[in-house]
Amino acid sequence: MNIPANNPALKSWLDVAVTSDFPIQNIPFGVFSVEEDDLVIGTRIGDYAISLTALNDLGFFKDIDFDDNVLYDETLNAFISEGREVWRAIRNRISEIFEANNPKLRDDDKARKLVIFNVNEVNVELPVFIGDYTDFYSSREHATNVGMMFRDPANALLPNWLHLPVGYHGRSSTIVPSGVPVNRPMGQTLPKGETQPVFGPSKRVDFELETAFITADANIMGERVSVNDAENHMFGMVLLNDWSARDLQTWEYVPLGPFLAKNFGSSISCWVVTMDALEPFRCASPSQEDPKPLPYLQQTGNHAFDIHLEVIIQPENAEGKTVSKSNLKYMYWTMAQQLAHHTVNGCMVSSGDLMGSGTISGPTKDSFGSMLELTWAGQNPIEMPNGSTRTFIEDYDTVIMKGYCEKDGVRIGFGEVSSQLLPAIDFE
């Protein structure tokens, strides 16, 4: 697949650090505002936020066949609905505009002031209006660890797990962008040895290391998306911290699964990295030969992505610590299989829907994607640099997740999703 914007030899006339997650080969999409101004559709190169709305006003996209009104919305949803050929054309044009030898914008000081802003001086917002949110459970290592803890270790995986991408529907109303804090949730728990539940703040708040893909308009109700066509309906990816309250979850999840334990808050990174930008980082996924999936889930070729992931816990006013390093490539079920399964019953998927990967755990203890696993349900506390310990997340801790791909001298990253846990709100 020849995508000009992915050329590893490209350089920008903007100053971009070699360690940046956002070289000219990335060109993610997002939404931001400058001071009190309206929201604009934008992209990012290095430490610069770039207004696509302003670029359109200046005529840079006039020969591209699309409804340019979508660049004046306050979310990416309408732009996403334009389809893959438009996303690709706009991304390639941005690459041309900012290529080192292109003087058109580079040498126009007046136009540059309308288009380019320091990323530290803008407010980056939730990139899409999320109509629906689905969270999958697609890491074999994570599902096995949880099964060993709470069920028969010899039969950690439930009978359906190797046959379909398990998932559940979450709440989009409490998905927030990086930087927005989350409060410790209240709810019912069943203390150890007791037979009656109590009400109060969760004592076992956890992070879940995930990525998520954002969909385009994939189908209409009653139709399904094939596994071979699924990637054509994926706009891009973000990092996702799907906060969890393990003690609430243990009490409530039988028989219908997690509820209040999961819907109190989920945090995502703000710049959507396109599937086109991630194309060079495809890799093989785990074998699915024993058992082989049913025909509608079978696929050939490389449909996993080599995305390095990291989780840092930062106590308030203290040094942080990296507690996990994992990789999306470990996931047993691919994103294409997730979307194909999601729609096989005719469920409609729309522009801006968010599909979480599920907790991403690797094969080693330092690659587990949750505190539940890293501390083995609190049995093995993690020591922090300041001498304190963590079994789960404490009030005023900030959880920071980072992710990037690297190949042939090009680094494509997501920035970070960062969120502080605040104390529970006492509504009495």
Side-chain angles (χ1 to χ4, degrees), residues 235-293:
F235 174 63
M237 294 178 64
V238 293
L239 303 175
L240 167 65
N241 178 4
D242 194 26
W243 293 92
S244 296
R246 300 300 184 186
D247 44 358
L248 274 63
Q249 185 172 348
T250 301
W251 172 236
E252 73 179 4
Y253 85 101
V254 177
L256 295 181
F259 184 41
L260 302 185
K262 301 288 289 183
N263 66 10
F264 66 95
S266 301
S267 307
I268 67 171
S269 55
C270 294
W271 296 103
V272 185
V273 179
T274 64
M275 302 312 297
D276 272 2
L278 295 169
E279 184 66 29
F281 306 98
R282 287 182 179 273
C283 62
S285 52
S287 172
Q288 295 181 340
E289 292 299 321
D290 185 22
K292 202 175 185 70

Side-chain angles (χ1 to χ4, degrees), residues 252-425:
E252 73 179 4
Y253 85 101
V254 177
L256 295 181
F259 184 41
L260 302 185
K262 301 288 289 183
N263 66 10
F264 66 95
S266 301
S267 307
I268 67 171
S269 55
C270 294
W271 296 103
V272 185
V273 179
T274 64
M275 302 312 297
D276 272 2
L278 295 169
E279 184 66 29
F281 306 98
R282 287 182 179 273
C283 62
S285 52
S287 172
Q288 295 181 340
E289 292 299 321
D290 185 22
K292 202 175 185 70
L294 293 176
Y296 78 95
L297 289 171
Q298 292 175 15
Q299 56 185 167
T300 58
N302 292 338
H303 297 278
F305 293 85
D306 186 9
I307 301 176
H308 303 276
L309 300 163
E310 178 182 9
V311 184
I312 300 159
I313 297 176
Q314 175 80 56
E316 187 177 34
N317 301 320
E319 182 183 351
K321 179 175 183 174
T322 296
V323 296
S324 175
K325 288 188 175 182
S326 195
N327 196 299
L328 183 65
K329 69 182 180 182
Y330 298 134
M331 299 299 277
Y332 186 84
W333 295 104
T334 69
M335 293 183 289
Q337 289 174 317
Q338 289 171 344
L339 186 56
H341 182 66
H342 199 309
T343 63
V344 74
N345 67 344
C347 175
M348 187 170 74
V349 170
S350 302
S351 172
D353 287 355
L354 190 76
M355 307 283 178
S357 62
T359 304
I360 301 167
S361 292
T364 58
K365 291 182 179 179
D366 61 351
S367 64
F368 293 166
S370 67
M371 292 294 280
L372 179 69
E373 298 163 271
L374 290 165
T375 69
W376 211 251
Q379 296 179 44
N380 306 310
I382 294 173
E383 185 170 342
M384 303 300 291
N386 64 1
S388 65
T389 60
R390 295 290 184 277
T391 53
F392 290 93
I393 305 302
E394 300 291 338
D395 288 348
Y396 301 108
D397 283 351
T398 298
V399 177
I400 304 165
M401 296 178 177
K402 300 181 179 181
Y404 71 93
C405 313
E406 197 159 22
K407 182 180 179 181
D408 297 331
V410 175
R411 176 189 175 104
I412 301 295
F414 295 80
E416 66 180 33
V417 54
S418 173
S419 184
Q420 186 180 47
L421 180 67
L422 297 181
I425 298 173

Side-chain angles (χ1 to χ4, degrees), residues 50 60 92 102 116 186 193-194 199 211 215 254 261 276-277 290 328 340 368 402 404:
I50 295 159
F60 281 95
N92 284 336
N102 188 339
I116 303 169
M186 304 283 282
E194 299 294 327
F199 179 81
T211 62
T215 64
V254 177
D276 272 2
D290 185 22
L328 183 65
F368 293 166
K402 300 181 179 181
Y404 71 93

